[in-house]
Each structure stands twice: as structure tokens, then as C-alpha cells.
Amino acid sequence: MSDQTEDTAERSEPTKGVAGIRKADNGNGVEIAERTALQRLLGASTVWIGVVLVALCIVFSVLRPDAFPTRFTFQTLLIETSVLLVLSVGMTFVIITSGIDLSVGMVLIFSGVIGAKSMEALSPDQDATGAGWGIIGIGFLLSVAGGGLWGLLNGVLVAKAKIPPLIVTLGSFGAALGAAQLITGGVDTRTVPEKLRDTLGFGTTLGGVPNLVLVATVVTVLAAWVLHTTRFGRYTYAIGSNEEAARRSGIAVTRHLITVYLLTGVLAGLAGFMNLAYFGTTTIGGHTTDNLDAIAGVVIGGTSLFGGVGTIVGTVIGVFIPSVLKKGFVIAQVPVFWQPIAVSVVLVAAVWFDQVRRRARDRK
């Protein structure tokens, strides 16, 4: 018995093969190659996406060294991307479950309208310009609640009624926009509290860091912690990898999917309030492509449309790639019509890379 144990230990001991690749015996005489830390790093899609982002920054810095690599440019880039990043964080959870949410842009508008109208209704003469923090707090809560209601509705229809998420959220897309237009009569609300604009909209903290960026950073860090270290995150990956297997293993798939869509709606509501603080109006005519921009950022960041794969860090990088492209094109005076073409090329390339990676994984 002892000879057998020693023999097994000898065969399972790692050895070095060609090019320094470590190999280990699985105990049955079959050698299994172990990837080194460097190989794992180079094989991570997030690393290569980060390289693309750095390369874009270098290219635009070389083309316009007087305009692109400046504090003002990077500060405005961060501010302009903050709202989209909050939307994309929620979208990451949905896509990892193998779902989709096309309604986030319109839910953002609806939530901003709810917040603005409630602050207006609680203010003297229907003018919220001079409103205090109490009224602002109520407006914030109602904005987030409004977004959460749409997310809850989406989740129930997807998880309980078993309607495809594409159809459900496409319906919510039109319904949320229509509801916002009914509430406002199609006219933007512009009486936003000055305190809100001066603090969240344009205020800075920690030596000049915009408050909008800080809010987006806190949301991103918390989401990364939840997705990568908690049971909720593990269940999210499990459902996206194989929903039926997750259900048979004891995961409450229906409840979890409802919670994921609810979370996405809440974050869309928060994004709507951030947008209201920054622009000082409900911007009903804007954000028609926010849903596509969020999906593009998430997919470019390495999250698979087939579910089960994705990271928050990848989403952050993926969101900034289209933003840097657009900002760089403007500064480099490239015709604006090239912007959607460039973003589309990057998006298609990201999806193609994901499919290649999946085929390579399935062959192993």
C-alpha cells in the first residue's frame, strides 16, 4: 500500500516540460499542462481590452498632444461616462444571466422625470430651483423607486411569465418613454434645485474629483464586490452558464432573475437622477441610444452575450473605449459620422472574439 502511495505521489508531482510549461500527472498516467501565471494573464480578455484602451489614448495623444492628454479632457471624459457606467454595471448582471435589457435608457428618462416632477410639486409655486435637501432627498428616492418598478416588472415578465427578455424590455422601452412624455406633456422640466446641480452635478471632492465620478466609482466597486465575492454573484454566473442545472442544484432561479432585473432598474433610476443633476433638465429627447451604448460597453468589456462570463472591470474598460473614441474623434477633428462606424467595428470584433474563445473552450 505504501509503495502504491509513493508511486502515485511521484506521478502527480509537477514537472517542467517544453518552454517551461509545468505539467502534472492526474494519477492515471495522463499529464495535464498547468498554465503559468503569465499565461493566465495573457489569456485574460480583460488585459487585451485594457491594452486597446491604452493604445487609443496614446494614438489620440500623439495626434493632438496639445488637446487630448490634458486634465480637462480626462475630467470631462470621466463625467460624461459616469451615467453610462452606472447603466452598464446593471446591464452586466443581466447579460451574465444570458438576458438583455433594452429599456434602461428610457427608464433613465422616466426616473429623471419622476424625480423632477416630484421636487417641483413639493416646492412653492411649482419651482424647485430653491428647494432644500429634504425635497431633493424625496426626489432621489422616487427616482430610484421609479426605476426599480420598471426593473421589477421586467423581471416578473421574464422569470415568471417566461417571455423572452428581448421582447419584454423592448416593450418597456416604449412604455417608459411614453409614460415620461405623458407626465411632462412632451416638454422638458427645467426647474432643478440649484443645490443638487452645485453638489452632485458640478461639485468636486478629494481635491477636484467630480462627485458624479465618485458616485459611479462607489457603485462600480460595490457591484464588483457583489458579483465576484458573494453568493449572489456566484448564482448569477451559474444561471447564465446553465439555467436548468442551476435550478436543479437548488438555486431559486426565478427569484434571482427578478432580483437581477430589479437591480438593473434601480441603477437606471440612479443614473436618471445623476443625469438630472448634471444637465439640469429631464432631457426627454436624449438617451435614445443609451441602451445600445450600455450593451456595447459590456460586450466590448468581455461579457458574453451567451451568458456565464463577464467582469465588472471589463465593463469599466469596455465603456471607456467608445467614449475615448468619440472624444478623440472630436478633438482630432475627424468627421462625426465616423464615430458610430468605429464603435460598431469594435463591438463586432468583441463579439467575434467571444465566439472564437467559446469554440476554443468547447474543443478542450
Side-chain angles (χ1 to χ4, degrees):
M1 178 70 73
S2 60
D3 291 342
Q4 235 178 357
T5 306
E6 288 176 8
D7 182 56
T8 302
E10 283 179 10
R11 285 189 281 112
S12 61
E13 188 176 334
T15 59
K16 271 196 174 182
V18 181
I21 297 177
R22 293 175 61 82
K23 294 184 178 181
D25 197 317
N26 68 354
N28 297 317
V30 180
E31 286 189 337
I32 302 173
E34 292 182 351
R35 300 174 71 195
T36 65
L38 178 60
Q39 287 173 323
R40 288 195 297 270
L41 181 64
L42 294 178
S45 60
T46 305
V47 173
W48 292 108
I49 298 162
V51 169
V52 171
L53 178 60
V54 172
L56 286 174
C57 292
I58 292 173
V59 168
F60 288 124
S61 296
V62 170
L63 291 175
R64 289 297 306 272
D66 59 322
F68 189 84
T70 64
R71 177 179 177 178
F72 175 77
T73 297
F74 285 111
Q75 192 174 53
T76 55
L77 181 65
L78 289 171
I79 292 172
E80 291 169 359
T81 310
S82 295
V83 173
L84 180 60
L85 179 58
V86 172
L87 286 180
S88 301
V89 165
M91 188 71 73
T92 303
F93 282 85
V94 169
I95 294 181
I96 288 177
T97 65
S98 194
I100 201 76
D101 191 344
L102 298 178
S103 68
V104 289
M106 299 304 104
V107 172
L108 179 155
I109 293 174
F110 176 84
S111 301
V113 166
I114 291 295
K117 282 296 184 182
S118 61
M119 290 187 290
E120 213 176 52
L122 294 170
S123 300
D125 300 323
Q126 304 289 297
D127 185 354
T129 306
W133 288 112
I135 292 176
I136 293 173
I138 294 173
F140 168 74
L141 291 175
L142 289 176
S143 287
V144 173
L149 284 174
W150 283 108
L152 180 62
L153 176 63
N154 288 338
V156 169
L157 291 176
V158 169
K160 279 192 170 294
K162 305 298 182 184
I163 304 174
L166 179 69
I167 302 302
V168 170
T169 58
L170 185 60
S172 299
F173 176 97
L177 177 60
Q181 291 172 330
L182 283 172
I183 293 171
T184 61
V187 179
D188 280 315
T189 301
R190 302 182 183 278
T191 58
V192 176
E194 290 182 355
K195 286 184 178 180
L196 177 62
R197 300 207 66 197
D198 293 339
T199 50
L200 180 58
F202 297 102
T204 60
T205 315
L206 303 176
V209 180
N211 291 335
L212 277 176
V213 176
L214 285 178
V215 172
T217 301
V218 170
V219 169
T220 303
V221 171
L222 286 175
W225 175 76
V226 169
L227 183 60
H228 300 298
T229 66
T230 68
R231 182 182 299 176
F232 184 87
R234 291 192 294 273
Y235 286 179
T236 301
Y237 283 113
I239 292 170
S241 297
N242 191 320
E243 183 176 325
E244 186 56 33
R247 182 175 283 107
R248 293 187 179 188
S249 66
I251 297 174
V253 173
T254 299
R255 184 176 64 190
H256 191 89
L257 285 175
I258 292 174
T259 306
V260 166
Y261 281 93
L262 173 62
L263 172 65
T264 305
V266 167
L267 290 178
L270 172 60
F273 196 74
M274 293 167 65
N275 179 78
L276 186 67
Y278 182 64
F279 289 104
T281 180
T282 47
T283 60
I284 295 176
H287 308 287
T288 53
T289 62
D290 277 9
N291 53 352
L292 301 180
D293 291 340
I295 294 169
V298 172
V299 173
I300 291 171
T303 299
S304 174
L305 283 171
F306 301 97
V309 176
T311 64
I312 296 296
V313 174
T315 293
V316 173
I317 299 173
V319 166
F320 273 99
I321 286 179
S323 298
V324 168
L325 276 171
K326 293 175 182 178
K327 178 68 72 175
F329 280 178
V330 170
I331 292 176
Q333 298 180 340
V334 176
V336 67
F337 309 109
W338 283 101
Q339 293 180 12
I341 295 175
V343 173
S344 300
V345 169
V346 174
L347 175 61
V348 172
V351 174
W352 173 80
F353 178 77
D354 175 54
Q355 290 183 324
V356 170
R357 183 177 59 182
R358 284 172 58 85
R359 285 196 293 267
R361 184 183 63 191
D362 292 341
R363 283 197 296 267
K364 292 181 181 179

